[in-house]
Amino acid sequence: MERRKVGILGATGTVGQRFIQLLESHPWFEITWLAASERSAGKRYADACRWKLDTPMPARIAEMVLQPNTPAANTEEVPRIIFAALDSDVAKELEPAFAEAGCAVISNSSAFRMTEDVPLVIPEVNADHLPLLLQQTSVKNGKGGYIVTNPNCCAIGLVLALAPLQERFGIEAMFVSTMQAVSGAGYPGVPSLDILGNVVPFIKNEEEKLQEEVNKLLGSFNGAAIDMLPAKVSAHCNRVAVIDGHTECVSIKFTKPATREEILAAWSEFQPLTQHHLPSAPEHPVIFNEAIDRPQPRLDVNAGKGMSTTVGRLRECSLFDWKFVLLSHNTVRGAAGAAVLNAEVLAKMDLLPGQIKHTQTGAGRELVSA
Ligand code: NAP
C-alpha cells in the first residue's frame, strides 16, 4: 500500500519530536513536510531542533528543511494530512488556515477541543463522534479540510480507564488528583529550580480542561452535536519532578453498584479496536497491575508501547464508591500517539481528505463518507 504523505506543524517541539519518532517507520503514513516557527523556517531540521528523545533523530529527517508555517506559501507541497503540535494561541491562527486550504488538521492543542463542530476523540472511546467534522465549514464548502483534536494529556489516560466503567455502571461523580510529568510543559518547560525536589500545585487552565473534556469525550453524538455526559468532575492538577508519565488518583461514584470483580472485568474486556488492526492501537488499552505499589512512572510508562493506561490500587472509597490510580504516557498516548491513532481511524472510516464524497440532494448539499 502506498503511504499517505503527512506533514508536522510544530515539528521541533516536545510533541513534534514524538510525531517524528512514531511516524518515521509508520506503515500508512510518510513524513514529507515539516514546519515550526518563523525562527526555524529554512533551516535543516538537525540545526533547528534540540532532539530530546532516547532514540536517534532519523537521518532522513535531519536533512529535511523546515518550511514556512503557512499553507499558502507553497500549497502544492503541503500534504493534506497535517499533525499539529502547536501552543494553543498559535494553533488558533494556523490550524483554521490549514483546514481552509484543504488539510485534515489533526491537532494536539486545546484551541478547538471544545468547539461545537470539532470532534474531540479517543478512538477506543468515541470514534463515533468523528462524523461531526462533516459539519465544519471547510468540509461543507467542498475544500475537504477540517480540524480533529485529541484531548488534554491527562484526560486521555483518565477517560480510557473511565469509558468501560461508564458503559457498565454509569458515572455520577468523579474526583481526580494528578501528578504530571515535566515533559507535559514542552521544552524547556518548567525551570529546574522550580521543580527539582518540589511539587507545583498549579498548571494553568489544566483543571478546567480536564473537567470539561471528560464530559465531551463520554458524551454522545446525536447526529448534529455532542450531548455532554452530565457527570460532576472535580480535578486537582500538580506538576511533579518526573520526566514522562502522568499519574492520577481517582475516586468515582457510579449510578449503579459495581463489585471489584465487575470493574476488573470491564477493564480487561475493553478491546474495542482489536478487529480493525490499526498500527498504533494497543492490544489492551487498559492494563490492571495487581501489585500494591503500582503503577509507577519509571516502571509502567511504556506499557503497550506507551499507548496503554495502567491502572492499579483499586479499593473501596469511603466518600464515593471506588478509588484507583492510573498512569499514562503524556507525549505518546497523551499527545503524538493519540493523534496518529486518530489519523488511522479517520483513514479506516474513509474520512480523510479525498475520501469524503460530496453528493447533491434536493436543495442542499449532503455529505457522505465514501
Ligand atoms: P513545545 O515543546 O514548546 O514546542 C512548540 C512547537 O511549536 C515548536 O516546534 C515551535 O517551533 C513551534 N512554534 C512556536 N511558535 C510557532 C509559530 N508561530 N508557528 C509555527 N510553529 C511554532 O510544546 P509541546 O509540548 O510540543 O506542545 C505542543 C502542543 O501540544 C501544545 O498545545 C501542548 O499543550 C500540546 N500537548 C503537549 C503535551 C505534552 O506532553 N508535551 C501533551 C498533550 C498536548 P520552534 O522550535 O521554531 O520555536
Side-chain angles (χ1 to χ4, degrees), residues 298-328:
R298 215 186 291 162
L299 303 179
D300 300 306
V301 73
N302 290 319
K305 296 187 182 157
M307 289 294 282
S308 298
T309 285
T310 305
V311 289
R313 303 218 60 224
L314 177 66
R315 59 228 193 269
E316 286 185 21
C317 173
S318 56
L319 288 178
F320 288 173
D321 295 329
W322 288 95
K323 56 186 176 182
F324 57 88
V325 180
L326 69 90
L327 169 78
S328 73

Side-chain angles (χ1 to χ4, degrees), residues 10 12-15 36-37 39-40 69 85-86 90 109 183-184 186-187 330-331 334:
T12 52
T14 305
V15 177
S37 72
R39 298 178 291 280
S40 302
N69 61 9
L86 300 169
V90 181
S109 102
S183 61
Y187 186 84
N330 53 293
T331 63

